Amino acid sequence: MTASATPPAIPAAPQPPVTVRVFLQRFSSTPRGARLARHLALHQLHSWGVPHGTEASETAAVLVAELAANAVTHGLVPGRDFELRLVLEPGKLTVDVSDPRGECRPPRPGEMRASAERPGGEEGGEGEGGRGLVLVAALADRWSVLDRVPVGKTVRAELDLPAR
């Protein structure tokens, strides 16, 4: 009787550990809350090894500022907060800003160009409305609008980071 030949087991190459860092905080739906969200995001990124003043830090600051300002301006429900969530993974930063107004959704990626090019953006006046998501689209590598359960929406911006 012949024994069946089995190939020798090849040991798996050791995999480096993957650290995913998460920051989650609620803020009052006020201009002061939006500013605080930006400041705390920069502080958190610095503590995670993304130093102040770097391109990644500056880009993240603009993304958080614009998304937080939109949540305060368009997602306001009296007495309800907005939420900032940062997720730092190897090679990627995800910025999620959630608010309680699911019925007031921004245009999808690729659709906002037409509304931003009108004078005054959404408002139809001479103001600066409608420009924030154009900045988000220009700076983020990807962005999207997601439903938030049980109520509201989340605007997500993803930023690819250089390998460290």
Side-chain angles (χ1 to χ4, degrees):
M1 214 178 249
T2 2
S4 63
T6 58
I10 300 173
Q15 297 292 322
V18 175
T19 302
V20 176
R21 294 181 168 94
V22 178
F23 172 80
L24 180 67
Q25 181 69 49
R26 288 180 186 251
F27 297 92
S28 64
S29 290
T30 62
R32 179 176 285 175
R35 281 192 309 275
L36 183 58
R38 184 179 67 81
H39 287 293
L40 286 179
L42 286 175
H43 178 75
Q44 188 64 52
L45 289 172
H46 185 77
S47 73
W48 286 343
V50 181
H52 290 290
T54 61
E55 183 179 350
S57 175
E58 296 297 320
T59 302
V62 173
L63 292 174
V64 171
E66 292 301 332
L67 295 179
N70 282 350
V72 167
T73 304
H74 304 293
L76 176 65
V77 171
R80 302 289 298 270
D81 298 333
F82 75 92
E83 183 178 272
L84 169 66
R85 180 175 180 257
L86 302 175
V87 179
L88 181 65
E89 302 174 67
K92 181 173 81 170
L93 172 67
T94 302
V95 177
D96 287 346
V97 175
S98 302
D99 67 60
R101 285 199 60 197
E103 74 280 0
C104 185
R105 299 177 73 85
R108 291 187 176 104
E111 292 178 352
M112 84 270 180
R113 195 108 184 111
S115 66
E117 288 173 352
R118 288 187 313 218
E122 294 178 356
E123 306 302 324
E126 296 300 316
E128 290 295 311
R131 305 285 192 308
L133 287 177
V134 174
L135 281 174
V136 170
L139 294 174
D141 293 298
R142 291 162 300 284
W143 74 279
S144 59
V145 182
L146 310 167
D147 290 326
R148 183 168 186 238
V149 176
V151 64
K153 67 181 172 300
T154 297
V155 181
R156 171 173 290 172
E158 294 179 349
L159 183 61
D160 292 334
L161 301 175
R164 297 196 265 171

